[in-house]
Amino acid sequence: MKRFVVCIAGALAGIVASSGAMADPSFPASLDSKASPFMRVYGPSQAPYGFVRFCESNPQACAPQRMEDVRFQPTPERLSELDEVNRWANHVIAPATDQEIYGVSEFWTYPVDRGDCEDYALLKQSVLLARGWPKSSLLLTVVRDEKGEGHAVLTARTAQGDFVLDNKVDDVRLWNTSGYYFIMRQSYLDPRVWVSLDINDRTAPDAIAGVREPH
């Protein structure tokens, strides 16, 4: 489907200035597939430029509300909601680049009928918040995908593990079966703050600096 290719490196541009989830067979198994189902924070990170601009236009969406350190304990019904919302958004929104829609290279917003990867993630976050999910569990996340390109997904931080809601794949998966290289995500304590992720055998700040450069 077209949504496999439309979300390009824009997710990284401007940074310098019981689960029931199954891995999609079209993706290689992650090198971290035996790692913990819970992602760990490495340290602070600079928020993507598109996200900063989004918060300027949508301050309420970025305001801390019900942010909790304790992981959300989902019921089976709640976990099924992740799958339902992921599939719904993937099929109701047509994939298109920011350049095609807005004439700019990077623009984070809630999609109406078309959008790219971060727009899908924002929509899923909004829908799940409206359904009663805590804000501390629904975190915008930046990765490098199977092609090494910048990509944005929504991760659901739960007591069962960290699940990935991805516009490329309808199945909701644990992060360590996604095949992606995880770079940064929103802090679960303050959605305006972004943190780098300690899940790729990083041992020095230089490793972080290398992935911060614009694509």
Side-chain angles (χ1 to χ4, degrees):
M1 297 180 66
K2 187 181 177 185
R3 70 168 183 268
F4 278 71
V5 296
V6 296
C7 191
I8 55 176
L12 290 176
I15 292 177
V16 171
S18 168
S19 67
M22 299 178 62
D24 184 88
S26 65
F27 282 78
S30 169
L31 294 177
D32 293 311
S33 59
K34 294 183 180 180
S36 167
F38 308 104
M39 288 189 275
R40 297 181 302 173
V41 171
Y42 179 86
S45 179
Q46 190 169 352
Y49 176 72
F51 172 79
V52 175
R53 294 297 301 272
F54 169 79
C55 287
E56 291 174 354
S57 301
N58 302 271
Q60 290 303 314
C62 300
Q65 295 175 1
R66 296 171 56 190
M67 305 304 285
E68 301 172 359
D69 187 24
V70 178
R71 283 179 172 270
F72 180 55
Q73 182 67 259
T75 62
E77 291 76 20
R78 284 295 194 186
L79 289 176
S80 294
E81 261 185 340
L82 296 180
D83 183 80
E84 175 191 345
V85 170
N86 192 58
R87 291 174 184 273
W88 169 79
N90 287 355
H91 291 271
V92 75
I93 300 299
T97 66
D98 289 332
Q99 192 67 49
E100 291 171 333
I101 304 171
Y102 308 108
V104 296
S105 61
E106 186 69 1
F107 186 70
W108 293 38
T109 189
Y110 295 117
V112 176
D113 52 8
R114 296 190 297 164
D116 66 359
C117 58
E118 59 265 18
D119 303 333
Y120 282 96
L122 285 167
L123 176 61
K124 294 168 189 178
Q125 184 185 58
S126 176
V127 170
L128 289 167
L129 285 172
R131 292 191 178 196
W133 277 73
K135 204 165 190 176
S136 55
S137 290
L138 302 172
L139 307 174
L140 302 173
T141 304
V142 172
V143 305
R144 289 199 190 278
D145 65 13
E146 73 285 354
K147 296 180 180 179
E149 297 176 340
H151 183 51
V153 297
L154 180 68
T155 51
R157 178 179 175 272
T158 81
Q160 306 300 319
D162 293 317
F163 294 95
V164 178
L165 285 72
D166 188 357
N167 65 292
K168 293 186 177 186
V169 181
D170 283 343
D171 291 329
V172 172
R173 305 167 292 172
L174 284 169
W175 75 267
N176 58 354
T177 64
S178 68
Y180 291 160
Y181 186 101
F182 286 72
I183 298 174
M184 67 182 77
R185 73 177 183 186
Q186 287 179 293
S187 166
Y188 58 81
L189 296 176
D190 187 338
R192 298 165 297 187
V193 174
W194 283 65
V195 294
S196 56
L197 296 168
D198 181 26
I199 56 177
N200 302 292
D201 293 327
R202 292 177 176 145
T203 58
D206 289 348
I208 301 297
V211 298
R212 285 182 179 174
E213 296 176 1
H215 227 43

